[in-house]
Amino acid sequence: MTQRTIVAVVEDEYLIASALEYELVEAGFDVVTFPTGDAAVQWLSAGGQPHVLLTDIRMPGAHDGWALARRAREIWPNLPVIYVSGDSGASWTERGVPNSKMLPKPVDLADLSAALRDQLAL
């Protein structure tokens, strides 16, 4: 039996999270979805192990996307990270974790597929 790739999707906008989850499941990924960075950190700290983290930047709570990715990399140092944002892309080079990707919202599915392939190949 082949292990499926787990994508952790962290997005506070329900419709966007649902659309991302649907498209990723259709593409053959297993998906765990969280409405906040805090919820995702709790899961990661309890032993959750995604193959890729796909996170929005601006979210309520103590962990925005930047803080979430840093915390995730403390737990899983080689975890691939893909950020999605409607307005925070300019901060990516200074605030994003190394070897991450940034995609603008609305997310183009072809760009998302390419970013997933790139990140999983690291």
Side-chain angles (χ1 to χ4, degrees), residues 66 69 73 80-83 92 96-102 119 122:
W66 307 125
R73 285 277 182 88
V81 174
I82 301 170
Y83 298 102
W92 170 56
V97 295
N99 299 317
S100 60
K101 296 278 185 184
M102 171 61 78
Q119 289 298 91
L122 291 178

Side-chain angles (χ1 to χ4, degrees), residues 4 18-31 109:
R4 291 172 47 124
S18 295
L20 287 169
E21 182 175 357
Y22 175 82
E23 293 300 332
L24 290 167
V25 168
E26 286 293 307
F29 295 98
D30 285 340
V31 179
L109 296 179

Side-chain angles (χ1 to χ4, degrees), residues 24-61:
L24 290 167
V25 168
E26 286 293 307
F29 295 98
D30 285 340
V31 179
V32 290
T33 305
F34 302 96
T36 66
D38 296 343
V41 165
Q42 186 175 27
W43 178 73
L44 290 164
S45 296
Q49 185 175 6
H51 295 97
V52 177
L53 173 64
L54 176 64
T55 184
D56 188 13
I57 304 281
R58 290 179 169 223
M59 293 180 288

